Amino acid sequence: MSWLTPTVVETLIAVAQAIVILLGAVIAGALLSFVERRVLAIWQDRYGPNRVGPFGSLQLVADMLKMFFKEDWIPVFADKKIFTLAPAIAMASLLLSFMIIPITPNWGVADMNVGLLFFFAMAGINVYAVLFAGYASANKYALLGALRASAQTLSYEVFMGLSLMGVVAMAGTFNMRDIVTAQADMWNIIPQFFGFCTFLVAGIAVTHRAPFDQPEAEQELSDGYHIEYSGMKWGMFFVGEYVGVVLISALIATLFFGGWTGPLLPPIVWFLLKTGFFVAFFVLLRAALPRPRYDRVMGFGWKFCLPLTLINLLVTGAVILITSPATS
Amino acid sequence: MEFAFYLAAAVAVVSTLRVVTSINPVHALLYLIVSLIAVAMVFFALGAPFAGVLEIIVYAGAIMVLFVFVVMMLNLGQAAVEQENSWLNPKMWIGPSILVGIMLVMMIVALFASPVEGTITGELIDAKGVGVALFGPYVLMVELASMLLLGALVTAYHLGRDDTLRPARDMNESRQHLTRDHRGTRQ
């Protein structure tokens, strides 16, 4: 076994880890679609899907079978290449972002210097999924939904980046692992409370979840940008949205709540608990809040959240300057 | 990383060529996005991940989205494709190709004639290094760029100002002014 050098073994382990994390993210996203319906139902005092399997746990399998065997129809008036490309971008860009999330001290795909920025880059690419879907469908509802979605995402991405700069400034690095270890004394939620609030709002808006789901508003746009999609292409948009929810929850847990750190329990459990808490919070928000008007959403982003993040960043910078020892 | 550099550079060149030769405006923009991502990959391969990620965030993620946005709003359709097709005949290519070819030859000659002043070693340049350089030797450029951006911001604010908030008399005047302008251009 001369080829089984330590480097090869390390590479194989890293590849296996990456595949496990990828599959874990996809399965978590897919399962979430069932969990959300069930949990929403419980909160709204009804049963939800409880027919397939014990407690409805096989509902996901039934949904997937239905989706796979549906006719995968591409409208004749659509721009075929871009129409096919859009769902792939929707899913891939969000899945790639899982690369930077450190799950435990030893688990994680990439340990990059520019970690957090990589997430912003992928979030920026993710806009094209909606934009291209809306354009290629050649449908007025899809186009309007895509226009709304891209304007909303662009506006909210501006201060999503700024809201995390306080965290970056405190840790002194974009590296996610170093950000987690920098929170050993105190979780970022306390000094960066406003950063947390604005990042939460921006995260919901960027994944187009309720109450920021105007791009998909069914009463005005009858589903928005993915109105022409069917079968697995639609399924990819659908799962992509839930993958986005898991991703934002994992990011919040990592950036503001100390990631894998915590007493007694092993790191992986702490990470999953914290992420699960925010996933549940996302679902609860959908159950609790009505959908605001579109212009209010845009106004709130630009007139309230953006100034708040700028002030937060300024104050954070001032505090760091005052407290840090002077270096020449 | 040399292989990655050449591969990404080849992708950038080919996709940029397709930007010029595409007849559908949205397809051309798609190739431009691919080209920008390929340039980001070039930065990664050269050991400047910060510049590479910023390239994707700023150009591919923000500026190109606005381009696609505007093209979608214009709703160009089949007429634009036909017009573009008629513009792309070989006769139109001769003049620009000769001019660009001269410049390409000049650049190649200049590159091979001048002595090599240090090579790229692929050493990692992190965000801190970029920041120290920007606010050290290049601080004047940063200040000038910020002034330029401020000017752009003021202009955008002026263009996007809500006219309905102004007094009615003022608005009538501006409307007359507008119609006069239109007539002037038509004559």
Side-chain angles (χ1 to χ4, degrees):
Chain A
M1 300 289 261
S2 60
W3 52 271
L4 208 61
T5 56
T7 339
V8 173
V9 174
E10 255 176 47
T11 315
L12 284 180
I13 290 176
V15 169
Q17 274 192 8
I19 292 173
V20 168
I21 291 172
L22 174 75
L23 288 179
V26 176
I27 292 170
L31 268 181
L32 187 56
S33 71
F34 160 73
V35 172
E36 179 179 44
R37 281 156 73 189
R38 202 60 219 243
V39 172
L40 270 182
I42 291 169
W43 279 329
Q44 292 169 347
D45 208 10
R46 57 192 171 86
Y47 285 119
N50 67 345
R51 295 288 121 176
V52 194
F55 302 106
S57 56
L58 293 179
Q59 180 67 38
L60 181 67
V61 180
D63 283 351
M64 270 174 66
L65 282 177
K66 178 191 150 202
M67 245 184 248
F68 273 122
F69 288 105
K70 242 183 169 178
E71 185 188 359
D72 192 2
W73 188 65
I74 298 178
V76 280
F77 45 80
D79 189 329
K80 284 189 186 56
K81 280 181 211 157
I82 295 185
F83 190 84
T84 324
L85 183 67
I89 299 177
M91 189 103 174
S93 60
L94 288 175
L95 279 179
L96 274 176
S97 306
F98 272 96
M99 198 161 102
I100 57 154
I101 292 177
I103 293 177
T104 70
N106 307 318
W107 274 72
V109 181
D111 187 17
M112 286 194 293
N113 263 332
V114 289
L116 197 52
L117 289 172
F118 185 81
F119 161 68
F120 293 139
M122 287 301 117
I125 300 285
N126 191 37
V127 184
Y128 290 114
V130 177
L131 213 51
F132 284 148
Y135 164 77
S137 296
N139 177 312
K140 285 193 177 64
Y141 290 121
L143 187 67
L144 285 173
L147 289 179
R148 274 189 185 185
S150 47
Q152 174 183 320
T153 317
L154 268 185
S155 316
Y156 277 72
E157 260 172 14
V158 170
F159 70 81
M160 182 167 78
L162 283 172
S163 67
L164 291 183
M165 284 311 120
V167 173
V168 172
M170 288 183 65
T173 175
F174 288 105
N175 187 313
M176 298 288 280
R177 259 169 217 289
D178 295 347
I179 289 176
V180 172
T181 44
Q183 297 176 60
D185 299 328
M186 184 170 39
W187 287 354
N188 270 333
I189 175 73
I190 297 166
Q192 286 296 320
F193 182 69
F194 294 110
F196 164 72
C197 294
T198 41
F199 180 71
L200 186 69
V201 171
I204 301 168
V206 167
T207 49
H208 332 116
R209 289 277 305 177
F212 292 107
D213 58 348
Q214 282 75 16
E216 297 154 38
E218 54 282 85
Q219 79 275 38
E220 344 166 355
L221 294 175
S222 68
D223 236 5
Y225 57 88
H226 50 53
I227 184 172
E228 292 289 354
Y229 282 85
S230 63
M232 258 333 271
K233 290 201 187 71
W234 179 82
M236 280 171 87
F237 276 118
F238 184 67
V239 175
E241 188 186 312
Y242 287 107
V243 168
V245 171
V246 178
L247 174 70
I248 298 288
S249 307
L251 274 173
I252 292 174
T254 312
L255 294 169
F256 293 101
F257 288 85
W260 66 73
T261 54
L264 292 174
L265 297 170
I268 180 85
V269 177
W270 273 113
F271 179 80
L272 291 180
L273 270 180
K274 287 171 185 173
T275 308
F277 176 79
F278 284 102
V279 171
F281 183 70
F282 266 76
V283 177
L284 182 60
L285 270 186
R286 175 171 169 183
L289 292 180
R291 187 183 284 144
R293 226 170 55 203
Y294 182 66
D295 58 328
R296 296 270 175 89
V297 170
M298 298 296 278
F300 176 71
W302 284 107
K303 289 176 189 161
F304 183 76
C305 289
L306 182 64
L308 185 64
T309 49
L310 285 173
I311 293 168
N312 179 44
L313 184 59
L314 274 179
V315 173
T316 311
V319 169
I320 291 173
L321 268 187
I322 292 167
T323 53
S324 68
T327 50
S328 55
Chain B
M1 295 303 264
E2 221 166 283
F3 173 71
F5 168 78
Y6 283 113
L7 193 65
V11 171
V13 170
V14 171
S15 55
T16 310
L17 274 177
R18 289 293 292 143
V19 175
V20 183
T21 54
S22 282
I23 47 175
N24 184 325
V26 175
H27 290 185
L29 285 176
L30 186 54
Y31 278 114
L32 189 49
I33 295 162
V34 173
S35 160
L36 288 169
I37 294 175
V39 172
M41 287 307 298
V42 168
F43 281 126
F44 270 105
L46 292 179
F50 187 66
V53 172
L54 281 191
E55 172 98 14
I56 297 184
I57 295 176
V58 176
Y59 290 97
I63 294 177
M64 290 314 296
V65 170
L66 294 178
F67 272 67
V68 177
F69 197 89
V70 170
V71 170
M72 269 170 57
M73 295 275 264
L74 293 177
N75 193 15
L76 294 167
Q78 199 57 37
V81 172
E82 274 156 23
Q83 187 186 41
E84 192 72 25
N85 218 356
S86 70
W87 282 346
L88 275 179
N89 62 2
K91 226 191 267 174
M92 301 292 237
W93 286 90
I94 299 171
S97 302
I98 292 173
L99 294 178
V100 173
I102 294 171
M103 297 222 277
L104 182 67
V105 169
M106 271 167 64
M107 203 174 84
I108 290 172
V109 169
L111 276 179
F112 279 94
S114 63
V116 179
E117 293 173 2
T119 49
I120 296 171
T121 51
E123 187 188 356
L124 270 187
I125 302 164
D126 59 353
K128 196 174 182 179
V130 175
V132 168
L134 274 183
F135 288 94
Y138 297 106
V139 69
L140 188 65
M141 300 296 278
V142 174
E143 294 295 327
L144 287 176
S146 69
M147 275 190 212
L148 188 68
L149 287 176
L150 182 68
L153 196 66
V154 172
T155 313
Y157 178 74
H158 176 73
L159 290 175
R161 194 172 43 168
D162 196 353
D163 272 342
T164 52
L165 293 178
R166 283 194 287 166
R169 194 170 55 88
D170 217 42
M171 236 182 81
N172 281 342
E173 267 172 24
S174 71
R175 199 173 284 161
Q176 277 169 7
H177 187 70
L178 250 175
T179 43
R180 220 180 300 138
D181 261 5
H182 269 292
R183 240 174 274 142
T185 47
R186 222 173 270 164
Q187 275 162 4

